[in-house]
Structure formats: C-alpha cells, structure tokens
Amino acid sequence: MYTALNANKLPVLTWNRFNVNSKELHLSNEPDSAVTPKIITDNDAIKINDNRTLDDIVFSGSDKKTEAYILKNASVTKSIIVPQNSTLAAPLIFDLTLQPTDKLTGIFDISLEENSSANIMISVSSLAQSTAQYADLIRVHAANGASLKLTCLQLLGSSAVSFNNIVSRLENDAKISILQIPLGAGTALASATADLRGYHSSASIRSDYIGHLEQDIDLNYVVRHYGKKTLSDIKMTGLLSDASRKTARGTIDFHRGCKGSSGNESENVLLLSEKARNKSVPLILCDEDDVAGTHGAAIGTLDEDRFFYLKSRGIDEKAARQLFLDSAVSRLKNLLPEILAAKIDNYSKEVLFNESV
Amino acid sequence: MSDISTKNSSITDVNRSLYDFTKEEKDVEKLASGLTEEIVRQISAKKNEPAWMLDHRLKSLQIYNELKVPNWGPDISGLDINNIVTYVRPNTKMAAKWDDVPEDIKDTFERLGIPDAERTSLAGVGAQYDSELVYHNIQESVAEKGVIYSGIEEALSGPYAEMIEKHFMKLVPSTDHKFAALHGAVWSGGSFVYVPPYTDVEIPLQSYFRLNSPGAGQFEHTLIIVDKGARLHFIEGCSAPKYNVANLHAGCVELFVGEEAHLRYSTIENWSKNMYNLNTKRAKVEKNGVMEWVSGSFGSHISYLYPMTILNGEYAKSEFTGITFAGEGQNLDTGTKILHNAPHTSSVISTKSLSKSGGISTFRSAVTVTEKAHKSKTSVSCQSLMLDDKSRSDTIPLMDVRCNDVNVGHEASIGRIDDDAVFYLMSRGLSEEEAKTLIVNGFANPISKELPLEYAVEMNNLIRLEMEGSIG
Amino acid sequence: MSDNLLEVKNYSVASTDNVPILHSLNLTIKKGETHVLMGPNGAGKSTFGSSLLSNPAYKLTDGSIFFEKENITELSTDKRAKKGIFLSFQAPVEIPGISLYSFLRAAVKNAETPLTGKLFRKKLNEILKVLDLKQEYLERDLNVGFSGGERKKVEMLQLLMLSPKMAVLDETDSGLDVDAVNIMLKGINEFQQTDEKGMLIISHNMHILNRLKIDKVHILVKGRIVADGGSELIQEINENGFIRFENQAGDGNV
Ligand SMILES: Nc1ncnc2c1ncn2[C@@H]1O[C@H](COP(=O)(O)OP(=O)(O)O)[C@@H](O)[C@H]1O
Ligand SMILES: [Mg+2]
C-alpha cells in the first residue's frame, strides 16, 4: 500500500494541461527499515537529541498529507540545537547509507539560537542499483543573527525515490544558505521554502543537478518575504542528458510590508540530449511596491559560436558533453568536504560515466 | 513611426470618460437571461444559419455544461451565467452607410470616433452593437483586390461558406475551455476577413465592438484568413459603459496566417469595470509567415486573456507586445501562449504591466517547444511596475521545452518607480506627479510605439488620467 | 626549401546567407614561416582565420585548402584542429558550465603529444606563470566573467599547451596594455622556437610586429589580397595607412 501525495505544489496555480501545478508522488506505507545515521562532528557545544522540537514551523511546499506522512513514518528523528553565540566551523554531517531496498523517513529539526552559526550536511546514498525510498523533513528555525549553511546531498540508486523537504523560518538578520544536490534516484524531488520573517533576514537557495538515464527531477523553491529589507536568491543550475526530465518551480513571494526587499531568481539548463525534457515555472508574486524582483532563465543547447570554439580545439560533440559532465561533477566536489566529495566521485564512476556516456 | 500600417488610424482625442455613456435600450429584442438549449436554438433560428452550425452550438452547450470553471486565475464567482442575457438584438439591420444606422447607435460610434477614422485612415470598418453588427463597409479599391471583409454571419451563406466551415472553431475548439464552449453555443456577430494570395492590404481594417445593454454578454466571432504571401493589419477596439451588474464578453478570434503571409493584430481593450472579459484569441502561422500581436488591456473588471500563437511551419515567426494597466477594482490576468511546432521558428514576447489603486495585474505565459521545433528560438521579457503599495502584480510564466537544440530565454523584473529618477526629474523643475507620469509613459513607450498613432495617444491619455491625483 | 604547411588556392568564402566576403585568395605558408595579414576593418581578416577552421557561419564557395599537402577542404572543425591548426579568437566566447581546467584537459588530449597528469600540471603551472594568470582561474568557467585581456591570455595559454603546427592569431594584442602585450610576445616567441611551426598573425600593433621575425606580409582589402611582400609593407602601412591599397582595390573592383 502507498500514500498518494500532491508534492511540490506551485503556490499559485496555472494551466493544468502543462502538469506543473504539483507532482503526484506515491510513497510506501511499509514501515521504515532500520538505518542508523552516522554523525560526524568535532563539536560538543551542539546538542543532538532524538525528539521533535519544531512542530510550530508551518509546513509548506507540498500538501498537508505530505507533512502527515513524514511525521507518521519517520524512524529517524533528530533535533539539533546550536547554542547562542556558538560557531561551528567544521561541518556537522549526517551520513545516511541505505541498503538497496530500504525505506527511510527522517525528521531533522534544526534550531539556531541567537547569533549562532552552523554548517550542516545531510547525505543520503545507496548502491547504484537500488529501489530505496527516502523522504525527509528538515525544519529550521534561525533566531536573530543566526546563520546556517545547509547542504543536502542525495546519491541514491537509479530506481530509488527521494523526497527532500526543507522548511525554514528566519528572524531578524538571520541567514540561511541551502544547497540541494539531488544527483541520484530515478525520481528525485527536492523542495525548500524560506519564510523571511525578520528584518534583513536572507535566504540563498542553490540547486545543482545532473539529469541522467530516465531520471525525473522535480524541484520546488519558495521564498516568502515578510520582513523589511529581506533578501533572497534562488539559483538552479543543471544539465539534462539521456532521457532525463526536470521540472523546476521557483517562487519569490513579496508580502505586503516587506519594504526594501529584493529577490532574484535564475535558472540555467543545458540540454545535452534529444530526449531530455525541461519545464520551468519561475514565479514572482508581488503585493508590495517597494521591492525589486528579477528573474532570468536560459534553457537550451550550446549555441553555434560556442560550439565552434570547442570544436576549434578538437573537441567534438561527444567530448563536449563529457566535458560538461566532468565540469559539473568537479564543481560539485569543490563545494563539499572530502568525505562527501568522495561519495560523488564514486557515484559518478558507477552511474554518470558508466551507463550514460 | 515609419511603418505605414501604424500611420494615422482611428480614434483621436479620447479619454476614458468618453466611453462611459449609455444609450436607452430602444425596441431591442432581448432573449431571456441564462443558458438553456431553448435559448441556443432561438439564437440559431434567428440567424437562418446552416444546420452544421446549430449542431455545433448544441454540442458546445453540452461541453459547456461538462467543463468546470478554471481552478487557477482570478475569481469569477461573481459571474452567474443565469443572469447574463446572451443575445440582444439592436433595432436595426446591418448597414453599409452610416446614414442608414439608427441615430442613437450612430451617435455612439461617432462619439467613439469610428466614422471619422474610417474616412481618414482605414480600409474598412465593422461595427457591432450588442449582439449584432450594425455597420460593415470596405473601401472599393481594397474590395477590388479581392479582399473580403464582411459580417461573418452574412458570409456563412455566401461564396465563402465552405471556407468558413473549414476554419470555424478549428483553432479554438469548444473543448478548449469552458468559455470557448460558451462562445461556441451562443456566438453572434463578428467579422470575416479573407486576403487573397500576395495581396497587400496597405491600410488597416478595424472592427469595433460596443456593448450597450446592461447584464448582457457579447460573443462575437472574428475569423481572418491571410493567404500565402498576403499582408494585413487588423485593429480591434472594444468598450462599454459601466453598469452595476456584471457584463460578459466571451469573444473568439481565429487567425490563419498562410505561408509567407504577414498579419498584425492590434487591440485596445477598454471594457468598463463591470465586465468579465473571458476572451480567446489564437493564430496559426505557416512556413515563413509572421504574426504580430499588439495588445493593450486597460478595461474590464476581470480579464482572462492569452492570445496564442501556433508556429506551425518552418521559419514562422511571432512577436507579442502587450501592456496591461490594472486600476481600482480590476483583476487583469493577461499574457500569451506560444507553441513552437516546427523547425527554425522564433518568437519574441515583450510585456509591461502596471498596477495601481488596488488593481491586480498578472502576467501569465506558456511557451512550449515541441520535439519538432529544432533550432527554434524564443525570448520572453516581462516587466511590472507597482505604482503604490495597495496594488498587486504577479508574474507566472511557464516554459515547456521538449527539444534540445533550441534557445529559450526569459527575463522578468518587478519593482516600483525609481526614486532616483524621480529626484533627478524634480531637480530639473518637474512636479512629483509630472515626473512620475513621465516615467510611467517611458515605461509604456516600447509598447505604445507599436500601437496605431491615435491609440498611442489614447494610451498616454489613459495613463495620464490614471496618474492624476496619484500623489498623496 | 621547406615544406608547405598551409596552402589556400582560389579561396572564396561567403556567409551562410550568401554574402560574399573573401574572393579568390591564394596564400602559402611554409613550415617555419611567420606571415602577417593586415587590412582595414571589415576587410575579412577574421573571416579568413575563422574559415581556416571551417566555422559553420561561413561557407567555401570556391577553391580549396591544403594542410601539410593534404586536401582538408571537406574536414570539419574538430578534425582540422586535430591536424594541428589553432586559431586564437579575436573575441573568445564565454562557455558557462565548463571549467577552464576541464577544458584544457580535454583539449590537450587532442594535441599531437598529449601530456599525462603530472606533466600536464607542471607545464600548465609554468605557462600560467609566464602569462601572469592566477591559478584560481582554472576552476572558473571558461571565459565567464574574464576581461578582454584575460581572455586573450587564455587563448595564448591554450596555444602553448596544445603546441599546434600552425597558429592563427587574430588580434591577439588588441585591448592589451603594454605589459600584457610583452607577455604575449613572450608567448609568441616561445611558440616560434622550432622551425617546424607556421604562424599567421593578424595585427597592426607595431610594438609586436617590430619585435618578431616576419617572413611575409599580405594586405587584404575588401576580401581581396591586394599586395604581398616583406616587412617593408608593415612600415609603409604604419606611415601611410591603407589608402594606396584601398584605391588599388577600388579600381580593381569596378
Ligand atoms: N556571419 C556573417 N554574415 C554576414 N556577414 C559577415 C559575417 N561575418 C562577417 N561578415 C562581414 O564580412 C566582412 C568582414 O568581416 P571580418 O572578417 O570580421 O573583418 P575584419 O576581421 O577584417 O575586420 C564585414 O563586412 C562583416 O560585416
Ligand atoms: Mg577582425
């Protein structure tokens, strides 16, 4: 048995025939498998417990059933409290390694007390051949002056389903920068919402993907500006090869009263195969005049000039594709600490550069 | 302005108050309000139309009853079809001379400047009053080239009957959405244009739609076929006086642009603020053909308006230039849809929207690039200006790309008038209101310069009127 | 007599939309020679350089092109590059998504003597130093956000890494300050080391031209070669400009 969800909902609907208003997702009702997260940290100041602490953070981005499902199914629940004024320099890493048929549901409640800062990474991976299912809910509360770097790396096998959810609320001068890398899984959903409640709070959301095989990537990002002088920046970058598909929704939502705020959204999609499919729905909702919102998107293949340049260096079409993949992988590796970079290396050897090219 | 087609056409010297006058309803025939099979049959019977058309109407009615109202877009729960009179016949037959048009109706169009414009700058004019055309005329020199411009109902029983049957609601089928189905059931009036191959209609044709009757709907159908290598500029205008009951406009425009043909379709929509404008417009463009839309939306209470272009032949091109100005009590959801369905097609979309005094303006678009559209190019640019902190402006674009060797670009921006620019102008002695009006006109300028000259003047006047007293 | 490296015969080029640009050019560059191509703006110099690598924006309407005596008229861009022809672009494009480093690695694989990991790195570091380019540029996307001068240096970097047989330098010096021009000179000198290489330099920069060993000069006006000669032509043009040649071309055309 499974639960049907309307995931990754567009905050304001548009024509139904394009199938972008939400993503229908079926998640298994089987009980979770036993998976123990490996926690890597060199800091004792941080408090990690096995309870929920942020039920008051309003869930959004998908329908209510999604939240209910995760709350009900979660077998891994972690609360992370970063004490006032403390700074975690080295990243705190949760490493979740799934067996090929595992099912895992996780909740991570991250509270940053005033003026604290942390760098937290959650990595989910499995072998290349896998039908695993992973769903999570990461809730973040950043108190005044707090700042969080949050990275979610997903490297599940090619028949897996993954659904990575981040919801966050930011107080005065708080900052969040989110990086989602939904590299693996046959069906890869990633969602992040940020409520910029406080004065001068800011959110930066980055999403990096490499669509391959028959992968179906579905993204949903929403930043809601409530506080004055809040800032947002959503950037989605990726390439689509083989018969991969991707839908990206990005919404900047300026609420009345968020005077002096600005939001920026950009998307770059390189289509490397004839069978690749791309949908993009970049929204700007604006209920306040004293704001600046911009959006830009570029979707397509290399234009002739650029292609000529590569060819003039002896690089043919196939080599060019490989080059884009290489560069994308090494760019991602550069963003991550050694241990996670090694996982990407592994994944790219086993999957990206094995079957697809 | 160098383009001959934008020279000197139609209305001069109008401001918004000029639209808002009513005429007493005299001797009109008005069907009961609501929508039933009975009413549909009655409309059909009055028109003496071919049997296939009655079939089409009845099928459309059935589809109307099956389809749901959209779950997206502005709220139209204030529109109750049971309160809408779908057919109102003015007390006149269609005339080819203004002198034969009844005085009160003639006066209406005179106040709108139509006969005057016809004399000075148009190749032909059609004028519709409520559900029926009251006037249709085309210059002899243009008619001699073989250009047909007539009432569509009249054409249904003439030599072009077959051509109409072949094209009527083929681009916009009744199944397209609920209000297309409504249109299919109760349509009445509208124009038919046929431009034969390689014929250049050098000066524009214009149809003007006026809805006078309170609580009525207008459902005109415009069908234009521009044959191979031909050129046409068509202008559409519409307005209505303001009533405190809902009026409905669910027209349908179908444009067929042949190989190497060129069509420009300009609209200034100025419906009164009690109007539900649920209009559907669509063009299909064949190889090397060009479709240009120029669209200004100023009126109506609620609009759903997304002229669509299907680029069906290689190297077909389309350009969409639009401006929407939503003021008090208005929720204008406008934009465009493009389907790239052949190689080397290209499209450029450029829109501006303004919101003021609590108005809501939404830009909505869908650009689809199909598997067939190799080497196609599209770029979308939409800019929104917020004129105060009571209003709202949303941007909802969508891109569906199913072909890889293409180039899809999109940019959007939203914000308010730049304080520095206002300061700069004020430092040169302009008042704040003058400075802001100047800046808003500058913002709208790329669009207004695409409009026929007098419409551009009209638009600037509208903007000035809207801006008056906006500082406070 | 050394061997012919590059030879174009009766070489005519038009844009893909059929605007004729080059008319019946004949030119031979032998191994070890450095030629200079000069001409007023719009003469067709860049078109010539670019067409030598079969830029799809142009088509050959007549004539043929030989490289090391082999007819390569029908060869595609990447095949010509693999044979050893290199073009330093007048306006190198930005390519987001490909890092300079991965690009260099891929390009070097096609060189005559591909370098393996360590040697590649070593040579790269040396050249970066010579060209005064920062290491961190390697991780940036190709030319993205690079200044005009930096782009030109990256072209030179590729020339030196690939060490092709024939180099076409299209205004490698334009927009550079004196220091940067001197760095480019160093690069050119380094490339000119062996007498196997051929060069075609498109430039009007006396600072560069005076400091190089030049074998031949060709003057291109309105798509035609109107004069061939030695470095004395450079001096003449430096003093009098192209007027004499333009008149000549004008007469010849009518
Ligand atoms: N792709 C093209 N299509 C049409 N004309 C071109 C194209 N490329 C160059 N031209 C024209 O050919 C002429 C030569 O240009 P170019 O080779 O850039 O000159 P130069 O490098 O000598 O200044 C110019 O008139 C230019 O406008
Ligand atoms: Mg040049």
Side-chain angles (χ1 to χ4, degrees):
Chain A
M1 281 301 290
Y2 61 81
T3 305
L5 308 170
N6 276 325
N8 283 359
K9 283 176 78 167
L10 203 60
V12 173
L13 301 184
T14 191
W15 293 289
N16 297 297
R17 64 187 58 159
F18 294 96
N19 264 319
V20 296
N21 284 333
S22 65
K23 165 88 181 164
E24 193 176 301
L25 183 68
H26 291 173
L27 293 183
S28 160
N29 289 346
E30 296 292 313
D32 268 18
S33 321
V35 177
T36 314
K38 198 164 123 199
I39 302 175
I40 304 166
T41 177
D42 60 1
N43 197 295
D44 326 317
I46 202 158
K47 285 176 238 153
I48 303 173
N49 294 310
D50 293 336
N51 60 336
R52 284 174 9 208
T53 53
L54 291 176
D55 280 351
D56 59 323
I57 301 253
V58 178
F59 178 77
S60 68
S62 296
D63 63 3
K64 282 284 157 204
K65 269 161 84 186
T66 304
E67 182 184 30
Y69 175 91
I70 294 171
L71 292 181
K72 182 169 163 226
N73 281 268
S75 60
V76 169
T77 300
K78 298 284 170 199
S79 66
I80 300 117
I81 294 166
V82 188
Q84 204 172 342
N85 298 324
S86 63
T87 297
L88 304 190
L92 162 65
I93 302 175
F94 291 89
D95 182 359
L96 302 161
T97 307
L98 274 61
Q99 295 307 307
T101 58
D102 275 359
K103 176 202 166 220
L104 180 66
T105 314
I107 294 174
F108 298 85
D109 283 348
I110 304 172
S111 304
L112 291 109
E113 294 181 352
E114 284 194 8
N115 300 318
S116 66
S117 83
N119 181 359
I120 297 177
M121 301 184 172
I122 297 171
S123 157
V124 188
S125 54
S126 74
L127 293 176
Q129 309 304 327
S130 156
T131 56
Q133 177 194 300
Y134 174 77
D136 68 11
L137 173 57
I138 302 165
R139 300 185 288 198
V140 178
H141 179 250
N144 293 347
S147 112
L148 173 67
K149 248 180 93 176
L150 176 61
T151 305
C152 296
L153 174 65
Q154 184 267 104
L155 297 168
L156 293 172
S158 54
S159 303
V161 174
S162 167
F163 189 9
N164 173 218
N165 277 291
I166 300 170
V167 292
S168 61
R169 193 175 79 210
L170 289 93
E171 311 301 346
N172 295 342
D173 288 308
K175 266 199 192 107
I176 188 166
S177 49
I178 293 170
L179 170 62
Q180 278 179 320
I181 311 177
L183 220 50
T187 304
L189 280 77
S191 159
T193 63
D195 283 352
L196 301 177
R197 290 279 168 189
Y199 171 85
H200 201 250
S201 52
S202 72
S204 139
I205 300 176
R206 297 263 173 292
S207 174
D208 260 290
Y209 55 88
I210 301 176
H212 55 282
L213 305 175
E214 313 230 298
Q215 198 180 20
D216 183 2
I217 301 167
D218 199 282
L219 311 172
N220 193 25
Y221 299 115
V222 183
V223 179
R224 287 181 284 261
H225 292 257
Y226 296 98
K228 289 188 177 39
K229 300 218 166 148
T230 49
L231 300 166
S232 70
D233 186 29
I234 302 174
K235 198 171 268 160
M236 297 177 253
T237 313
L239 35 98
L240 298 175
S241 62
D242 306 327
S244 61
R245 281 176 286 162
K246 184 231 72 184
T247 299
R249 304 169 196 78
T251 303
I252 300 170
D253 187 357
F254 294 112
H255 284 253
R256 190 154 302 176
C258 71
K259 294 204 175 290
S261 293
S262 78
N264 174 58
E265 195 182 338
S266 66
E267 203 192 346
N268 253 293
V269 189
L270 189 64
L271 301 171
L272 290 180
S273 132
E274 244 171 61
K275 290 192 224 123
R277 299 284 176 269
N278 176 75
K279 286 184 201 171
S280 302
V281 202
L283 270 50
I284 304 178
L285 311 176
C286 185
D287 209 7
E288 166 60 50
D289 68 327
D290 185 9
V291 297
T294 57
H295 167 261
I299 301 155
T301 188
L302 263 200
D303 60 28
E304 210 146 66
D305 280 355
R306 293 190 169 126
F307 210 43
F308 173 63
Y309 189 87
L310 293 179
K311 281 191 168 169
S312 81
R313 302 296 183 246
I315 297 165
D316 63 12
E317 210 160 327
K318 201 171 150 232
R321 267 202 298 274
Q322 184 65 45
L323 202 44
F324 279 109
L325 283 172
D326 283 345
S327 296
V329 168
S330 66
R331 181 170 35 120
L332 293 180
K333 278 164 52 186
N334 283 336
L335 296 172
L336 299 171
E338 193 60 42
I339 155 169
L340 298 186
K343 281 178 190 282
I344 288 193
D345 242 351
N346 243 337
Y347 185 83
S348 60
K349 270 186 209 114
E350 275 182 39
V351 182
L352 288 179
F353 301 145
N354 192 357
E355 285 141 295
S356 70
V357 180
Chain B
M1 264 183 281
S2 57
D3 188 350
I4 41 156
S5 62
T6 63
K7 211 167 59 190
N8 257 359
S9 13
S10 87
I11 312 175
T12 43
D13 211 28
V14 246
N15 68 37
R16 176 156 269 178
S17 61
L18 276 189
Y19 300 107
D20 199 13
F21 57 90
T22 58
K23 292 283 176 182
E24 188 191 337
E25 291 185 78
K26 280 197 286 194
D27 304 305
V28 295
E29 181 183 355
K30 212 169 170 176
L31 293 186
S33 60
L35 186 60
T36 61
E37 184 173 331
E38 169 82 24
I39 285 174
V40 171
R41 283 183 186 278
Q42 273 178 29
I43 293 173
S44 177
K46 285 182 197 314
K47 297 187 177 290
N48 230 336
E49 57 192 18
W52 67 264
M53 189 57 86
L54 176 61
D55 274 0
H56 174 86
R57 289 182 186 277
L58 293 172
K59 265 189 212 123
S60 300
L61 176 65
Q62 197 182 344
I63 295 165
Y64 173 83
N65 286 326
E66 283 160 11
L67 289 177
K68 292 199 188 94
V69 293
N71 60 346
W72 49 272
D75 177 19
I76 50 170
S77 57
L79 174 71
D80 182 353
I81 194 72
N82 293 319
N83 296 331
I84 295 286
V85 180
T86 54
Y87 183 81
V88 185
R89 182 188 190 83
N91 180 29
T92 174
K93 283 207 164 60
M94 191 167 78
K97 277 196 242 142
W98 283 109
D99 283 346
D100 298 342
V101 176
E103 203 50 43
D104 58 330
I105 297 180
K106 195 174 109 188
D107 181 56
T108 299
F109 287 106
E110 253 161 17
R111 289 170 72 165
L112 294 167
I114 306 297
D116 210 34
E118 179 179 11
R119 273 190 299 278
T120 56
S121 55
L122 295 169
V125 161
Q128 178 155 341
Y129 197 78
D130 293 334
S131 296
E132 294 289 355
L133 285 160
V134 293
Y135 176 85
H136 229 286
N137 191 30
I138 179 169
Q139 266 181 25
E140 231 163 77
S141 61
V142 180
E144 270 164 15
K145 292 182 180 177
V147 176
I148 306 297
Y149 178 42
S150 72
I152 185 167
E153 293 174 19
E154 173 196 354
L156 257 178
S157 56
Y160 288 86
E162 222 171 280
M163 188 186 272
I164 295 178
E165 183 174 358
K166 220 176 98 189
H167 293 91
F168 186 86
M169 291 200 84
K170 293 297 190 300
L171 262 188
V172 182
S174 298
T175 47
D176 208 72
H177 57 85
K178 192 171 179 75
F179 297 95
L182 175 65
H183 176 90
V186 301
W187 77 274
S188 177
S191 299
F192 169 66
V193 183
Y194 174 71
V195 187
Y198 302 105
T199 306
D200 187 351
V201 185
E202 284 154 23
I203 36 181
L205 301 176
Q206 177 173 23
S207 283
Y208 201 96
F209 302 100
R210 176 74 179 177
L211 187 53
N212 182 63
S213 181
Q218 195 168 53
F219 306 97
E220 85 289 348
H221 195 96
T222 304
L223 175 60
I224 298 178
I225 298 169
V226 186
D227 216 327
K228 187 170 185 177
R231 290 176 77 91
L232 173 70
H233 182 188
F234 191 88
I235 302 170
E236 177 194 64
C238 25
S239 69
K242 185 163 164 64
Y243 295 109
N244 50 15
V245 295
N247 276 57
L248 168 64
H249 176 235
C252 179
V253 175
E254 296 183 289
L255 310 173
F256 294 85
V257 182
E259 289 185 10
E260 284 151 49
H262 189 287
L263 173 61
R264 172 175 272 233
Y265 194 94
S266 307
T267 308
I268 282 279
E269 178 270 297
N270 224 327
W271 294 118
S272 53
K273 292 183 179 178
N274 59 315
M275 179 68 87
Y276 286 80
N277 183 33
L278 312 174
N279 210 13
T280 312
K281 299 180 178 184
R282 199 160 294 171
K284 187 162 120 188
V285 190
E286 304 303 338
K287 187 173 174 182
N288 287 320
V290 178
M291 176 70 217
E292 292 172 352
W293 299 95
V294 180
S295 182
S297 295
F298 295 90
S300 85
H301 169 46
I302 283 173
S303 273
Y304 279 69
L305 182 64
Y306 326 98
M308 175 174 182
T309 312
I310 300 168
L311 297 170
N312 204 49
E314 273 183 77
Y315 295 96
K317 275 198 176 92
S318 98
E319 215 171 280
F320 180 90
T321 310
I323 186 160
T324 295
F325 196 139
E328 190 177 354
Q330 294 186 289
N331 188 343
L332 307 184
D333 202 294
T334 62
T336 184
K337 291 194 262 186
I338 308 274
L339 180 69
H340 287 263
N341 200 33
H344 297 284
T345 51
S346 62
S347 64
V348 177
I349 298 169
S350 132
T351 67
K352 307 258 175 173
S353 60
L354 299 116
S355 330
K356 195 179 154 285
S357 308
I360 302 173
S361 87
T362 300
F363 168 77
R364 191 184 298 273
S365 68
V367 174
T368 306
V369 184
T370 70
E371 293 84 344
K372 287 189 247 173
H374 297 285
K375 310 267 181 212
S376 288
K377 255 193 190 153
T378 157
S379 74
V380 180
S381 149
C382 64
Q383 287 174 291
S384 310
L385 195 58
M386 299 278 290
L387 293 177
D388 57 37
D389 60 4
K390 298 189 274 296
S391 310
R392 182 174 177 96
S393 183
D394 291 347
T395 307
I396 310 178
L398 186 159
M399 288 154 272
D400 183 354
V401 184
R402 307 179 211 147
C403 189
N404 72 317
D405 52 349
V406 298
N407 203 316
V408 178
H410 175 100
E411 50 180 59
S413 68
I414 203 160
R416 64 169 179 176
I417 295 178
D418 183 7
D419 288 339
D420 292 344
V422 175
F423 173 69
Y424 181 85
L425 292 173
M426 287 175 75
S427 78
R428 298 292 180 265
L430 276 74
S431 73
E432 186 177 347
E433 188 172 304
E434 282 166 341
K436 288 194 168 171
T437 305
L438 205 61
I439 292 166
V440 171
N441 270 323
F443 176 79
N445 191 43
I447 316 290
S448 55
K449 77 178 205 287
E450 292 301 319
L451 291 168
L453 184 61
E454 282 73 13
Y455 276 120
V457 171
E458 182 190 348
M459 192 174 103
N460 286 349
N461 283 339
L462 282 171
I463 289 173
R464 209 193 57 235
L465 279 167
E466 290 284 352
M467 293 298 292
E468 247 164 46
S470 65
I471 317 294
Chain C
M1 274 290 282
S2 48
D3 291 337
N4 287 355
L5 186 59
L6 179 84
E7 189 176 9
V8 299
K9 290 184 190 161
N10 195 25
Y11 189 79
S12 299
V13 170
S15 67
T16 39
D17 49 351
N18 296 314
V19 182
I21 302 175
L22 300 174
H23 310 274
S24 295
L25 306 190
N26 288 292
L27 190 145
T28 304
I29 298 175
K30 294 192 157 81
K31 288 189 178 163
E33 284 184 350
T34 296
H35 290 217
V36 171
L37 181 64
M38 300 174 92
N41 278 341
K45 303 179 300 290
S46 293
T47 304
F48 181 60
S50 202
S51 73
L52 292 177
L53 275 149
S54 186
N55 186 335
Y58 305 106
K59 60 187 187 188
L60 199 64
T61 49
D62 199 6
S64 44
I65 167 168
F66 294 84
F67 190 68
E68 295 190 301
K69 304 218 165 88
E70 180 191 349
N71 188 332
I72 58 163
T73 311
E74 300 300 326
L75 284 194
S76 64
T77 303
D78 50 317
K79 300 246 168 63
R80 291 188 192 192
K82 283 179 186 159
K83 296 259 176 218
I85 309 178
F86 178 92
L87 170 66
S88 167
F89 286 64
Q90 185 177 0
V93 289
E94 297 188 343
I95 307 190
I98 292 185
S99 69
L100 176 57
Y101 184 78
S102 327
F103 170 70
L104 287 172
R105 289 235 56 151
V108 160
K109 275 189 206 139
N110 301 310
E112 229 187 349
T113 44
L115 296 167
T116 48
K118 255 198 187 144
L119 282 174
F120 172 82
R121 206 66 226 206
K122 184 160 169 275
K123 184 164 176 191
L124 183 56
N125 286 337
E126 281 167 15
I127 299 173
L128 284 175
K129 244 188 234 119
V130 173
L131 297 178
D132 191 27
L133 278 168
K134 290 191 205 93
Q135 282 277 344
E136 66 219 46
Y137 281 42
L138 293 172
E139 291 310 327
R140 292 223 232 146
D141 281 357
L142 186 53
N143 291 332
V144 177
F146 289 19
S147 72
E150 287 163 348
R151 287 182 197 199
K152 293 290 166 73
K153 283 186 180 177
V154 168
E155 295 292 290
M156 184 56 70
L157 165 66
Q158 293 172 50
L159 172 69
L160 297 177
M161 287 302 290
L162 293 172
S163 190
K165 290 175 182 158
M166 165 85 211
V168 181
L169 306 185
D170 191 353
E171 313 221 2
T172 298
D173 43 58
S174 67
L176 300 185
D177 58 34
V178 183
D179 291 343
V181 168
N182 282 332
I183 288 172
M184 290 304 197
L185 259 177
K186 255 197 267 174
I188 295 174
N189 280 323
E190 188 148 339
F191 178 72
Q192 267 186 338
Q193 289 301 313
T194 77
D195 53 6
E196 290 294 295
K197 310 273 188 194
M199 274 191 122
L200 177 66
I201 297 178
I202 300 171
S203 172
H204 299 120
N205 187 324
M206 298 310 292
H207 187 84
I208 287 214
L209 296 178
N210 283 335
R211 285 167 179 76
L212 289 175
K213 145 192 127 31
I214 287 159
D215 300 289
K216 267 191 188 137
V217 177
H218 313 274
I219 312 294
L220 188 71
V221 175
K222 293 183 185 153
R224 290 187 161 80
I225 293 184
V226 294
D228 301 283
S231 35
E232 74 282 355
L233 280 176
I234 300 176
Q235 297 313 323
E236 184 189 339
I237 285 162
N238 190 33
E239 283 157 30
N240 305 322
F242 292 103
I243 298 165
R244 174 166 78 88
F245 304 100
E246 282 177 311
N247 292 339
Q248 202 176 318
D251 297 342
N253 274 343
V254 183

